[in-house]
Amino acid sequence: MSLLLARRFLTLILTLLAASLVVFVVLELLPGDPAAVILGVNARPDTLAALRREMGLDLPVAERYVMWLGELMRGDLGRSYTYDVPVADLIAERLWVSLPLAVMAIVISTAIALPVGAWAAAHRGRLLDTLLMGLSQLGVAIPNFWFAILLILLFSVQLGWLPAGGFAGYDGGFWAGLASLLMPAFALALPQAAILARLTRSAVLEALREDYVRTARAKGLDRRQVLLRHALPNAMIPVVTIMGLQFSFLLAGTIIIENVFYLPGIGRLIFQAIAQRDLITVRDLVVLLAATVVIVNFIVDLLYLWLDPRLRSGGH
């Protein structure tokens, strides 16, 4: 068990190092001089050279990479060209929007998908199964920005219950801030719920064919007890895998939804940083998102160990 955890942790560290190297090399290969981008085409050569020295651009590439890694480990992410503030402060400010949004979306999608998938599997081949899987197919096919527009038309234009966009902030209370994220969270969650429901149905059907389920039925348990006590818990490993990937996607892939609802989150910051060629911000954001994916996968591996005792005993 300890050896397995140590191996997974070492893999996490090596993956983070590889991701940082790839991001650094790719941005180095991009054409253009960051100092010239900041100062503009009419900058004087001596001013340009001074800024390049200040940014460390006159140093060898390998030395700059090692320096950057050292700064990352100290929590120093540099300074944004565009906003002229520390990138760490900029990211922390935007995370207060994107992180609650991603958590709300994953909670909503899970709350919808697990009962729908399990219910469809329990009624396999019946009208209810066909109806639920048809709706899930529709949810997979329709893009989330279309859901966003439908939600705005219904809850903002027709009913007037929620604001059509913008972020109220947390000055009026944490829950008041979360209310601004409710519609975007549903817009993000519905397509993810459709995918998760279909996967849950397949995993539960697979579990229902196992010997331990037949044994449970032979002992006299009814269909509901077999489903909740045996089939659904044993179907959770592939479901947890997809949930981990979905959380990473929801944190990083909210560019469209944050722009539709005009939310100042990480997705919108990435879009603005790329458009303004703010390479330091882009570099740090990509590494942060890569680290999020790797850490979430590490947490998913820990959940595997908790869900499946065979992995704890076998060590693989």
Side-chain angles (χ1 to χ4, degrees), residues 78-259:
R79 200 169 185 85
S80 166
Y81 301 158
T82 306
Y83 299 95
D84 196 26
V85 296
V87 176
D89 294 347
L90 200 58
I91 292 175
E93 179 187 335
R94 302 301 182 98
L95 271 178
W96 274 104
V97 177
S98 292
L99 191 58
L101 177 62
V103 171
M104 287 173 70
I106 200 71
V107 168
I108 292 170
S109 72
T110 305
I112 295 173
L114 291 187
V116 167
W119 196 262
H123 296 80
R124 181 186 182 191
R126 299 181 185 176
L127 178 61
L128 182 62
D129 178 29
T130 305
L131 179 63
L132 290 175
M133 288 303 99
L135 288 174
S136 70
Q137 184 63 46
L138 196 63
V140 172
I142 296 178
N144 53 14
F145 72 85
W146 183 248
F147 279 125
I149 294 171
L150 293 179
L151 290 173
I152 291 172
L153 288 174
L154 177 61
F155 292 103
S156 299
V157 178
Q158 294 295 327
L159 301 175
W161 291 353
L162 294 169
F167 181 63
Y170 298 109
D171 294 339
F174 189 68
W175 295 111
L178 290 186
S180 304
L181 305 177
L182 196 56
M183 274 203 299
F186 266 99
L188 283 170
L190 291 176
Q192 305 303 319
I195 296 170
L196 201 58
R198 297 181 72 82
L199 179 73
T200 303
R201 177 183 180 274
S202 300
V204 170
L205 285 176
E206 188 70 28
L208 287 173
R209 286 193 282 267
E210 296 292 336
D211 291 339
Y212 57 82
V213 170
R214 282 193 284 271
T215 303
R217 284 175 175 158
K219 289 181 178 177
L221 296 181
D222 60 27
R223 179 190 295 180
R224 182 172 173 274
Q225 290 172 320
V226 168
L227 182 68
L228 296 180
R229 291 185 189 178
H230 297 280
L232 191 57
N234 284 286
M236 285 304 292
I237 287 183
V239 174
V240 166
T241 303
I242 297 300
M243 286 171 62
L245 295 175
Q246 283 187 342
F247 182 78
S248 305
F249 167 78
L250 290 171
L251 189 60
T254 57
I255 295 176
I256 294 176
I257 289 299
E258 287 184 359
N259 277 283

Side-chain angles (χ1 to χ4, degrees), residues 40-105:
V41 293
N42 297 321
R44 292 172 48 187
D46 56 336
T47 308
L48 193 61
L51 182 58
R52 296 189 87 255
R53 280 196 300 276
E54 183 183 342
M55 296 174 67
L57 296 175
D58 57 333
L59 299 174
V61 173
E63 188 175 342
R64 274 190 283 141
Y65 174 67
V66 173
M67 283 179 60
W68 178 51
L69 277 186
E71 290 169 354
L72 282 180
M73 290 177 187
R74 293 195 301 272
D76 180 7
L77 303 184
R79 200 169 185 85
S80 166
Y81 301 158
T82 306
Y83 299 95
D84 196 26
V85 296
V87 176
D89 294 347
L90 200 58
I91 292 175
E93 179 187 335
R94 302 301 182 98
L95 271 178
W96 274 104
V97 177
S98 292
L99 191 58
L101 177 62
V103 171
M104 287 173 70

